[in-house]
Amino acid sequence: MAKDRVIIFDTTLRDGEQAPGATMNLEEKLLIAKTLEKMGVDVIEAGFPAASNGDFESVNRIAKAIKNSTICGLARAKKSDIERTAEAIKPAAKSRIHTFLATSPIHMEFKLKMGEEQVISMIKESVGLARNLCPEVDWSPEDATRSKRDFLFKAIETAIDAGANTINIPDTVGYITPEEYFELILAIRNNVKNIDKVVISTHCHNDLGLAVANSLAGMKAGARQIECTINGIGERAGNAALEEIVMAIKTRSDFYNVVTSIDSTMISRISKLVSTITGFTVQPNKAIVGANAFAHESGIHQDGMLKNRQTYEIMTPQSVGIENTQLRLGKLSGRAAFKDRVKEIGYELSDEAINEAFLRFKDLADKKKEILDEDLIALIDDSLVNNQSRYKLIDLEVHCGSEKNSRVKIKIKIDSDEVETSLDSVDGPVDAIFTAIKNLIPHNAILDLYQVKAVTEGTDAQANVLVRLKQNNRIFSASGADVDVLRASAIAYINCLDKLNKI
Ligand code: KIV
Ligand code: ZN
């Protein structure tokens, strides 16, 4: 018998972006959306169009660019929100409005200041309007898991009668347990009389570390859409991680008996892209995409692996797109070999982007003997993400030592103008660089985080520097990659200022 298909609804660009510091600009969102489409994501929640003109613009651009995935926009239960969302997603080949209203006593009393009757009539109105403007409507009773059952059932029935095609059950505050969520989805199936007309969806937050387990329990109880994000980013402790959901379904298809349309070999690539763009590093022991997820350290395990990989490996690194890191390209590799390898690791670049990346590759190959796939990914993500920046580092000279002040001379291009300055600092070379940049690009943000990571092993490895700046309680992150850690620091700082000044 054919297995049921579970719809993968990715909300990295909406709930994911709600994580403090995960702000993404339009080009970054577009790049993530294209990668999600390529990996086979069914629905991309591209943003919250009524939140700002910037959000509207990104959802609208994504709606124009994406052909295979459904493009969804989030709207509160307000006429103006719903109309703005409908306008933003209008160009999409397949579009959807996701609208929501809280149904729990605490949200209704303190946030909405509304009684049950008012909530019910607002559901009717908002879902009805959304359905008039868009063929697909996803409705969420916010804080569903803390709502009174009978009222929740009535609210869902109302939304279905008003035209919703998907009913999403958010565990907004990450409170429920897998057994309870399983039982809640079953109860909805058994008590809402028109429930057979819609797809039931899960949307679980990770406050107790249960988001993935809850989503899978909901799916086991009959939900056929899962809302999730890459690397599990999102409000507070985040959302259910897409990569964990997809690999659980694939690896344990004997138990779950469902399939998704995701090409799992794209998982590692998109995880790195989202991490580079948001500056949210992935913990080494993170399931599926952590650096140690496929590493075997103990002698007993290594011995078992050599005899039969399945002794300690339930899925292969290749199934999530991790190749054995081996020497692929070097100083003498030509453009054709470079282009081939770039394609093999999952990128589809324009000729212009290939040319730009090839120049950077040649530059890197002059400085670093072995170019591994990780180097290529860092290099390409860095140029794709950052080549839209208004600011570009042209030249950097740094002198430092234990007995003297650090001295820096820096030249930056701002749009088409080159500007330069020199400066001394008693606080070391990084302080000197950042202060010199501040003189050229004045701002009042404070440095919230500065982090250096080597992309590969070896002292000639590329450095990936993450910079996080805080301004008026908003946090911006950006990274920069270079074999020279001080250049990478300058690039990351400049990119972060570009993001901050574009808002
Ligand atoms: O967590 C939540 O309740 C949400 C809703 C907007 C669905 O993100
Ligand atoms: Zn959420």
Side-chain angles (χ1 to χ4, degrees):
M1 216 171 84
K3 295 186 176 194
D4 269 8
R5 203 171 74 83
V6 169
I7 297 165
I8 298 294
F9 176 118
D10 179 276
T11 181
T12 307
L13 300 177
R14 199 278 297 171
D15 215 324
E17 204 202 18
Q18 283 174 222
T23 316
M24 303 170 225
N25 64 34
L26 196 154
E27 289 79 18
E28 293 169 341
K29 288 183 178 174
L30 204 52
L31 186 56
I32 292 178
K34 286 182 180 166
T35 316
L36 290 171
E37 178 187 38
K38 197 160 178 237
M39 78 190 284
V41 162
D42 302 284
V43 186
I44 299 173
E45 187 163 50
F48 182 6
S52 69
N53 289 340
D55 271 55
F56 177 91
E57 187 59 24
S58 336
V59 175
N60 190 249
R61 280 278 299 280
I62 292 170
K64 286 177 184 153
I66 301 298
K67 297 288 166 253
N68 299 323
S69 313
T70 298
I71 300 305
C72 178
L74 183 73
R76 285 165 296 188
K78 284 169 81 172
K79 186 168 182 281
S80 53
D81 266 38
I82 294 170
E83 287 175 346
R84 189 96 175 118
T85 303
E87 199 185 328
I89 58 176
K90 204 171 176 179
K94 290 178 274 177
S95 57
R96 179 186 289 201
I97 294 176
H98 178 189
T99 184
F100 66 98
L101 190 62
T103 50
S104 66
I106 187 164
H107 277 234
M108 282 161 48
E109 183 182 345
F110 293 99
K111 196 181 76 170
L112 301 178
K113 301 193 187 323
M114 279 184 192
E116 294 189 349
E117 285 310 307
Q118 267 177 300
V119 168
I120 292 292
S121 90
M122 211 160 160
I123 296 169
K124 246 185 239 166
E125 238 174 80
S126 54
V127 174
L129 172 65
R131 186 57 201 270
N132 275 339
L133 299 173
C134 183
E136 282 186 39
V137 176
D138 193 323
W139 184 72
S140 294
E142 192 190 8
D143 205 15
T145 54
R146 293 192 300 167
S147 302
K148 285 198 259 159
R149 286 285 171 99
D150 285 347
F151 182 61
L152 180 64
F153 299 153
K154 185 171 171 196
I156 294 172
E157 192 183 319
T158 306
I160 300 172
D161 281 341
N165 343 63
T166 300
I167 295 295
N168 181 44
I169 306 298
D171 183 28
T172 304
V173 289
Y175 174 74
I176 208 160
T177 65
E179 293 78 6
E180 288 171 311
Y181 198 61
F182 177 90
E183 197 274 314
L184 174 62
I185 301 294
L186 270 193
I188 290 171
R189 291 184 66 191
N190 292 331
N191 290 284
V192 176
K193 68 172 190 295
N194 48 3
I195 198 73
D196 288 345
K197 293 186 181 163
V198 298
V199 173
I200 302 177
S201 165
T202 69
H203 179 108
C204 299
H205 279 273
N206 206 29
D207 300 67
L208 294 174
L210 295 172
V212 169
N214 286 339
S215 308
L216 294 169
M219 185 183 80
K220 195 74 182 156
R224 285 295 175 264
Q225 172 177 285
I226 298 188
E227 300 197 359
C228 46
T229 60
I230 302 296
N231 297 338
I233 66 168
E235 279 277 359
R236 307 180 310 278
N239 290 61
L242 179 146
E243 61 279 3
E244 295 178 22
I245 301 277
V246 167
M247 290 315 287
I249 290 175
K250 189 169 172 161
T251 310
R252 294 303 315 274
S253 67
D254 59 318
F255 178 69
Y256 289 117
N257 213 19
V258 293
V259 289
T260 72
S261 52
I262 301 296
D263 171 2
S264 67
T265 65
M266 296 276 301
I267 282 178
S268 163
R269 145 113 196 75
I270 195 157
S271 162
K272 290 197 168 87
L273 181 68
V274 170
S275 170
T276 302
I277 287 176
T278 57
F280 282 32
T281 33
V282 172
Q283 78 199 54
N285 57 323
K286 161 92 174 60
I288 317 293
V289 291
N292 292 349
F294 293 93
H296 299 270
E297 180 73 17
S298 89
I300 297 171
H301 287 208
Q302 285 176 349
D303 179 55
M305 288 283 289
L306 287 172
K307 289 173 176 148
N308 180 340
R309 296 193 70 87
Q310 284 176 10
T311 50
Y312 289 103
E313 200 171 76
I314 57 166
M315 53 198 161
T316 65
Q318 289 78 13
S319 66
V320 298
I322 301 173
E323 296 292 325
N324 291 332
T325 42
Q326 40 180 280
L327 179 60
R328 300 280 179 183
L329 295 169
K331 199 175 162 150
L332 301 176
S333 305
R335 188 182 303 262
F338 174 76
K339 200 172 164 180
D340 271 3
R341 189 66 206 140
V342 166
K343 204 164 170 206
E344 266 169 46
I345 56 176
Y347 293 89
E348 259 170 44
L349 301 185
S350 65
D351 287 347
E352 196 191 339
I354 282 281
N355 290 345
E356 145 114 30
F358 184 64
L359 290 178
R360 288 196 59 184
F361 158 73
K362 279 290 181 189
D363 198 33
L364 178 63
D366 272 341
K367 297 173 187 152
K368 185 172 187 293
K369 273 200 300 291
E370 300 182 340
I371 310 288
L372 305 176
D373 286 345
E374 285 93 327
D375 289 309
L376 284 187
I377 291 169
L379 181 154
I380 296 167
D381 282 351
D382 190 58
S383 40
L384 286 178
V385 169
N386 297 324
N387 78 1
Q388 313 286 341
S389 174
R390 282 183 61 207
Y391 313 129
K392 202 171 170 61
L393 176 68
I394 304 292
D395 201 21
L396 177 68
E397 262 178 49
V398 182
H399 301 270
C400 56
S402 42
E403 296 299 316
K404 51 185 185 233
N405 287 353
S406 297
R407 175 151 196 80
V408 38
K409 192 169 162 212
I410 188 164
K411 190 192 279 183
I412 294 174
K413 197 167 174 182
I414 303 181
D415 298 321
S416 48
D417 297 330
E418 286 190 1
V419 288
E420 61 176 288
T421 190
S422 311
L423 190 127
D424 272 17
S425 167
V426 288
D427 291 322
V430 175
D431 180 66
I433 293 169
F434 290 0
T435 311
I437 294 174
K438 188 171 180 176
N439 290 347
L440 297 175
I441 309 171
H443 64 86
N444 55 17
I446 55 161
L447 183 66
D448 193 47
L449 181 80
Y450 168 76
Q451 194 172 288
V452 181
K453 208 174 82 189
V455 172
T456 56
E457 293 173 353
T459 50
D460 65 349
Q462 280 191 93
N464 201 322
V465 172
L466 168 68
V467 163
R468 205 152 76 193
L469 293 171
K470 198 170 181 180
Q471 180 176 265
N472 305 331
N473 274 332
R474 289 199 67 178
I475 299 171
F476 301 84
S477 312
S479 54
D482 199 283
V483 276
D484 180 332
V485 68
L486 293 177
R487 272 186 66 84
S489 305
I491 295 168
Y493 197 76
I494 286 171
N495 290 338
C496 203
L497 287 175
D498 176 65
K499 263 191 170 174
L500 185 146
N501 286 336
K502 268 188 187 148
I503 296 293

